[in-house]
Amino acid sequence: MHLAITGSIATDHLMTFPGKFADSLVPDQLDKISLSFLVEDLDVRRGGCGANIAFALAKLGHRSLLVGAVGRDFENEYRGWLDEAGVDTSGVLVSETRHTARFVCTTDADLAQIATFYAGAMSESRDIDLFSLGHDFDLVLVGPDDPEGMLRHTRACRDRGVPFAADVSQQLAWADGAVIRELIDGATYLFSNDYEAALIEQKTGWSSDDVQSHVGTRIVTRGKDGVTIFPAAGEPIQVAANEGVVAVDPTGVGDSFRAGFLAGIAAGLDFERSAQIGCTIAASVVETTGTQEYVLERDGFLKRIEAAYGEAARTEIDSALSLA
């Protein structure tokens, strides 16, 4: 199964605040908010939603095409890092004038986050003609990216009848109802967390049933409560999260879940097994600072699958994935 992953490619600047943001908020003064938090550390890491998903897919043995726009600084180390991991970076456009996007995020003691995103070269992803890259795609994930780029990729998939997965997530904040409706209408898969699912309904004016009628399968992640899958037909499927996870940094966890789910689908596994892969790789990411710094070793990963979901799950997943 040939997957194209479109989405942001960025450098992450990750900081940790030892207190709680909530302790510094005055509810009736939020219109005058002016806050500064003294952080304890700074980690500069490779990131971006598209790159995170493609990287995790490669760790799971699936080589996907990464599609996005970057600055010339990408060529220094980042491209080599992804190439070595097993990502096809031939679909990456390099800007002549802008820097690669920057994600600046502070996480507090409750794992709440305050983040700022500088788009930079990402804005040029709207110039990418997805279907001129010389590939036939079985599925395209349209992830958080330049808004015009997201719309272009979505329309191209619909026009050509190519299945696509909609992952609006981080771009829901700016998008109005009309844009969101266009980005998800006709999607084979719609990814969101539970908050984003509610925001989609609020902004589109659609009920949960309305959203379901416009997509094939909805996948709603719920953090420590696992994930619920709403198939196009049949009853919802609930998959529990891994237990005993020591959370360090939630950045990129949703990206890794999407990669795990898509790796399972690409390998011919059902929704339950695919979600189990997603939950297990997400556990590895949340236990690590940085979105691409985790180590995914075959035996350890499969043992974690078995501990969480049983021997049958391990056997099926082991036979389907080409883990290193």
Side-chain angles (χ1 to χ4, degrees), residues 164-189:
F164 69 97
D167 178 18
V168 187
S169 57
Q170 294 175 358
Q171 295 293 36
L172 282 170
W174 69 267
D176 62 21
V179 170
I180 297 169
R181 287 192 291 269
E182 182 163 4
L183 286 173
I184 69 176
D185 189 33
T188 302
Y189 303 102

Side-chain angles (χ1 to χ4, degrees), residues 20-294:
K20 300 178 180 180
F21 297 142
D23 292 340
S24 298
L25 299 177
V26 181
D28 62 354
Q29 297 290 314
L30 294 181
D31 60 329
K32 304 173 184 177
I33 192 168
S34 178
L35 294 172
S36 176
F37 298 99
L38 183 63
V39 299
E40 292 187 333
D41 50 29
L42 168 64
D43 282 296
V44 181
R45 309 280 183 170
R46 306 170 187 90
C49 293
N52 291 340
I53 295 170
F55 178 86
L57 276 163
K59 286 290 187 180
L60 292 166
H62 190 97
R63 182 176 174 83
S64 60
L65 178 71
L66 175 61
V67 180
V70 299
R72 283 180 288 182
D73 51 313
F74 175 79
E75 303 289 0
N76 296 337
E77 294 182 5
Y78 204 164
R79 186 190 294 274
W81 167 266
L82 292 173
D83 287 342
E84 185 176 350
V87 177
D88 182 351
T89 61
S90 63
V92 174
L93 180 152
V94 180
S95 170
E96 292 297 321
T97 58
R98 295 181 174 93
H99 289 291
T100 300
R102 297 287 188 273
F103 175 67
V104 181
C105 182
T106 304
T107 303
D108 75 358
D110 283 340
L111 298 185
Q113 294 184 313
I114 295 177
T116 303
F117 192 86
Y118 162 71
M122 188 183 82
S123 62
E124 296 184 24
S125 65
R126 67 184 64 184
D127 299 328
I128 300 172
D129 180 354
L130 183 62
F131 291 97
S132 70
L133 297 176
H135 297 273
D136 293 323
F137 305 118
D138 297 302
L139 179 69
V140 175
L141 180 131
V142 181
D145 202 347
D146 170 70
E148 289 300 321
M150 295 173 71
L151 287 166
R152 180 176 184 175
H153 297 329
T154 301
R155 291 165 180 160
C157 288
R158 269 200 299 263
D159 290 346
R160 292 172 176 264
V162 175
F164 69 97
D167 178 18
V168 187
S169 57
Q170 294 175 358
Q171 295 293 36
L172 282 170
W174 69 267
D176 62 21
V179 170
I180 297 169
R181 287 192 291 269
E182 182 163 4
L183 286 173
I184 69 176
D185 189 33
T188 302
Y189 303 102
L190 172 60
F191 289 102
S192 72
N193 61 33
D194 46 3
Y195 180 84
E196 291 162 352
L199 190 57
I200 287 170
E201 293 174 24
Q202 176 184 304
K203 286 198 166 189
T204 60
W206 289 344
S207 67
S208 178
D209 288 341
D210 291 334
V211 174
Q212 187 73 55
S213 71
H214 284 270
V215 303
T217 297
R218 287 189 299 140
I219 304 100
V220 181
T221 57
R222 306 184 187 280
K224 62 181 178 57
D225 295 321
V227 57
T228 306
I229 303 160
F230 299 90
E235 295 299 310
I237 301 164
Q238 182 69 34
V239 174
N242 284 201
E243 295 183 354
V245 175
V246 180
V248 173
D249 178 13
T251 311
V253 172
D255 299 335
S256 62
F257 172 84
R258 286 150 174 73
F261 186 88
L262 291 175
I265 295 299
L269 294 171
D270 63 17
F271 291 153
E272 181 179 22
R273 293 288 185 250
S274 298
Q276 289 168 349
I277 297 169
C279 287
T280 303
I281 191 171
S284 296
V285 174
V286 79
E287 291 178 336
T288 309
T289 299
T291 59
Q292 299 175 26
E293 308 301 322
Y294 56 96

